[in-house]
Amino acid sequence: MTTFQQRVTAVGALLARVMAVTTLCVSAASLNAQPLGAGARPVGADWSRSPVYGARGMAATAQPLASQIAIDVLKQGGSAVDAAIAANAALGLMEPTGNGIGGDLFAIVWDPETQQLYGYNGSGRSPAGRDFSAMLRSIEKMKSQGQLPEDYQGIPSHGSLAVTVPGTVDGWFALHERWGNLPMGEVLAPAAEYAEVGFPMSPVIAAAFAANKRRFEQRAPMIEELDNANALYFPAGTAPTVGSVFRNPDLAKTLRILGAEGRDSFYKGVLAERMVGYFEAIEADLTAADLAKHSGEWVEPRGVDYHGVTLWELPPNGQGFAALMMLNIIKQADTATMERGSPELFHLMVEAKRLAFEAMAQTFADPNFADIPVEELLSAEFAKAQFARINSDSVLTAEALAVPLEGEGDTTYLTVADESGMMVSLIQSNYRGMGSGLVPKGLGFMLQDRGELFSLDPQHPNVYAPGKRPFHTIIPGFVTRQGKPWMSFGLMGGGMQPQGHVQVLINIVDFDMNLQEAGDAARFLHDGGSSPDGGSPGDYGTLYVEPGVPATTVAALRALGHEVVVDESGGPFGGYQAIQRHDETGVYSGATEMRKDGTVAAW
């Protein structure tokens, strides 16, 4: 065979192979071939990845640059609290779709020196000068002027009626005063620098920006002015895109003022003056006196034992105790005999959630304004009585059960640990989306809309009142084992948080998942019904599950009466971060999940 013939033969063979591959591809397409799935792992679940390990320090946040900032602060001699504040400040810039200094903050800190947990409630209050009657008059006026639909229920989700005093800055300085090592100016400097020079936008946050732009356009009639927000976050009428460089020089100036002049610059000084000028310009009710009077408070975490560990949550006005009630109910059953993906376990967890949230809907509020029966709600007797109500063959009917959930919420959760053994569990939010839509000119942040969560039912403990903190969704979590710190963790996203805390803990404790797998595993979110801010107690709502829940389980849950929707978006199921400490070695492992942009950084 000549060289030419060899070449022809080779080309022919190559064409034959190409045609064969093409035929296979066409055949596969005609058979509706499934998209390419996950690869295999040498250890662990194929749908997850390895936890991160480090001995001297660790940070897990929803944005990789914020995690790096936290580690840099630790390397400079900062404490875990310094690093957590630095990361939170960066997230207010890099993830303003979920948090910022116009919002509130809650934290749990393990102090290795005293071997104790400490809790901080950094939530703000409603304007002292607007009473319940004034609130109703304002809502009716907005309806008469076409700013609200005639059938709108509750406090407007956007605009000044939903704004409460921002508590985050107070929380930073309270934590820093107790455990900070570095000057606050140094702690806030990395976020200020990024705000000035810019950072590249990450995918999940970019998608949230676009969603918030659509929401503000829809809710524009509620909002006194949107020009400031549009100029800051949506210049040229577009949301930031993936990989684009986003800058916020106004926030850089604000952070530098805070670093140089301290907490009072925000509540009594130059920053307060600018906020008050803005309130007056848009005829909002918050005043200089409201800002000056603000203070958060140290609170005592409460724990519930579950199969050898103790889950700790903060008391109301947050919803953390709902997770404790859920665990108390679930541990009445023998979960060791159930498969993790079984309908039996899903049914138990969902019904426990509905029962726990029922109690929350009726009782949770600012404890300074309401007598909350905490001891009863967390008692073994109450849990046994609630468990006895669960039917194995059907859901509890809506007529017999008020099913609470407070609606959506966009939040950031982060956790940091240092070489001394200090561990910080911190959660921070503007509540719905980016917040109220109101941006005080020149300050670089949006005011929260947390006041939407007040009830307008005069008989409810969470009813709106002046100088009152609304029911809160954001909850940091912490787990101890035999009295020692074991895990600092949390999830983001409104009512997902208590039910997410429980699902992750069950994954780890009962089913031996590692820290990363426990967050990546498919979750459920039960949504709908009544809540501390209103709702529809006659509705079952909807049970959202992720595609990883077995189809047989979905079918069985529907047969039991659950209204199940398989949701492939990844959106409603929160975002998880965690750091775990090895009892003997002190080595940390960390996890952050696929539903967000974040990462774990270790030292």
Side-chain angles (χ1 to χ4, degrees):
M1 184 180 296
T2 66
T3 302
F4 176 78
Q5 289 173 322
Q6 290 173 334
R7 289 176 179 172
V8 170
T9 302
V11 170
L14 176 61
L15 287 172
R17 287 198 295 271
V18 170
M19 290 300 294
V21 170
T22 302
T23 301
L24 286 172
C25 292
V26 172
S27 299
S30 66
L31 293 173
N32 296 316
Q34 296 299 309
L36 187 65
R41 282 175 48 80
V43 294
D46 290 346
W47 38 260
S48 189
R49 64 187 189 277
S50 298
V52 176
Y53 289 83
R56 301 188 65 182
M58 185 166 285
T61 83
Q63 219 283 351
L65 297 177
S67 298
Q68 291 177 21
I69 285 171
I71 294 299
D72 289 343
V73 169
L74 292 181
K75 289 181 177 180
Q76 294 164 17
S79 67
V81 162
D82 289 326
I85 295 169
N88 190 190
L91 289 163
L93 164 72
M94 298 171 180
E95 192 191 20
T97 53
N99 76 116
I101 59 176
D104 285 345
L105 171 154
F106 290 78
I108 298 176
V109 179
W110 173 266
D111 179 8
E113 183 175 340
T114 61
Q115 292 288 293
Q116 290 185 28
L117 283 174
Y118 297 85
Y120 196 78
N121 178 333
S123 59
R125 295 165 177 81
S126 58
R130 185 208 298 140
D131 62 16
F132 183 72
S133 296
M135 172 63 82
L136 293 182
R137 289 196 299 272
S138 295
I139 292 172
E140 290 306 313
K141 181 179 179 182
M142 291 180 69
K143 290 181 178 180
S144 68
Q145 294 179 343
Q147 296 169 277
L148 287 175
E150 283 295 326
D151 60 350
Y152 192 90
Q153 300 294 313
I155 294 172
S157 60
H158 294 74
S160 68
L161 292 184
V163 177
T164 49
V165 174
T168 293
V169 169
D170 167 80
W172 285 353
F173 280 88
L175 294 167
H176 183 265
E177 181 179 4
R178 198 161 191 169
W179 292 293
N181 288 346
L182 301 178
M184 192 62 108
E186 292 183 26
V187 171
L188 298 179
E193 182 176 355
Y194 268 116
E196 191 166 62
V197 303
F199 71 96
M201 186 63 58
S202 51
V204 174
I205 297 171
F209 260 107
N212 275 275
K213 183 178 184 296
R214 293 191 295 270
R215 177 180 290 152
F216 288 138
E217 289 169 350
Q218 294 165 358
R219 308 293 170 84
M222 298 182 185
I223 306 170
E224 284 86 345
E225 69 86 24
L226 265 172
D227 290 344
N228 292 350
N230 286 330
L232 177 60
Y233 296 116
F234 310 109
T238 60
T241 55
V242 178
S244 64
V245 175
F246 181 79
R247 298 178 178 85
N248 188 344
D250 288 343
L251 182 60
K253 295 173 187 175
T254 293
L255 292 173
R256 288 180 175 133
I257 291 172
L258 286 172
E261 301 182 20
R263 174 199 180 279
D264 282 355
S265 65
F266 193 86
Y267 294 100
K268 299 178 182 178
V270 60
L271 299 176
E273 291 174 3
R274 294 178 188 175
M275 280 189 278
V276 170
Y278 181 71
F279 299 153
E280 293 173 348
I282 65 171
E283 299 183 351
D285 291 323
L286 277 175
T287 66
D290 292 320
L291 292 175
K293 189 178 179 180
H294 173 76
S295 65
E297 64 176 338
W298 295 99
V299 295
E300 182 179 352
R302 289 289 297 268
V304 158
D305 295 336
Y306 183 80
H307 297 176
V309 303
T310 304
L311 173 64
W312 298 87
E313 303 279 357
L314 298 184
N317 53 317
Q319 64 175 337
F321 282 9
L324 302 185
M325 288 189 283
M326 283 181 68
L327 278 184
N328 268 343
I329 296 168
I330 290 168
K331 71 183 181 183
Q332 306 303 314
D334 186 5
T335 54
T337 64
M338 304 177 189
E339 294 292 332
R340 179 59 184 89
S342 68
E344 292 82 6
L345 183 54
F346 269 80
H347 178 65
L348 171 64
M349 290 191 293
V350 174
E351 294 295 85
K353 178 266 172 186
R354 296 176 70 208
L355 287 163
F357 275 49
E358 171 194 13
M360 177 175 71
Q362 296 170 1
T363 59
F364 281 25
D366 184 342
N368 294 329
F369 287 75
D371 184 14
I372 305 170
V374 169
E375 300 305 326
E376 177 184 354
L377 294 174
L378 298 184
S379 69
E381 293 75 18
F382 184 75
K384 290 176 181 176
Q386 294 287 76
F387 176 71
R389 299 174 64 191
I390 297 177
N391 303 317
S392 62
D393 58 354
S394 65
V395 299
L396 289 163
T397 62
E399 290 75 13
L401 177 71
V403 188
L405 190 78
E406 68 297 324
E408 64 182 300
D410 290 283
T411 301
T412 202
Y413 173 81
L414 64 95
T415 176
V416 181
D418 66 24
E419 193 171 12
S420 76
M422 181 176 289
M423 300 176 71
V424 179
S425 181
L426 187 151
I427 198 159
Q428 206 259 295
S429 174
N430 283 4
Y431 182 51
R432 186 182 293 276
M434 296 177 72
S436 62
L438 301 174
V439 173
K441 190 172 181 62
L443 296 186
F445 64 86
M446 185 174 291
L447 296 163
Q448 66 183 350
D449 49 6
R450 185 63 61 174
E452 182 193 355
L453 286 181
F454 281 116
S455 171
L456 292 180
D457 177 358
Q459 305 305 313
H460 198 284
N462 186 47
V463 64
Y464 175 85
K468 184 176 180 178
R469 295 173 297 187
F471 169 71
H472 243 281
T473 57
I474 57 176
I475 54 172
F478 204 95
V479 183
T480 58
R481 186 165 64 179
Q482 297 179 344
K484 297 180 180 180
W486 190 56
M487 184 169 69
S488 173
F489 81 116
L491 285 95
M492 314 164 201
M496 181 67 225
Q497 294 175 59
Q499 39 194 319
H501 282 201
V502 169
Q503 291 175 72
V504 165
L505 193 63
I506 285 176
N507 288 346
I508 295 171
V509 174
D510 292 338
F511 295 92
D512 202 31
M513 294 186 193
N514 68 40
L515 205 62
Q516 185 66 46
E517 291 168 347
D520 286 340
R523 295 202 280 264
F524 74 80
L525 164 66
H526 181 266
D527 189 8
S530 67
S531 76
D533 67 317
S536 303
D539 293 339
Y540 167 86
T542 305
L543 176 59
Y544 296 96
V545 301
E546 293 188 288
V549 176
T552 53
T553 293
V554 171
L557 290 171
R558 286 173 175 155
L560 290 169
H562 295 280
E563 301 289 336
V564 185
V565 171
V566 179
D567 189 312
E568 299 185 7
S569 70
F573 300 99
Y576 156 83
Q577 266 89 238
I579 294 176
Q580 198 171 65
R581 187 177 189 274
H582 191 280
D583 291 341
E584 296 179 3
T585 66
V587 168
Y588 295 116
S589 59
T592 183
E593 61 164 88
M594 58 186 174
R595 298 172 188 84
K596 295 288 182 178
D597 291 325
T599 191
V600 180
W603 181 29

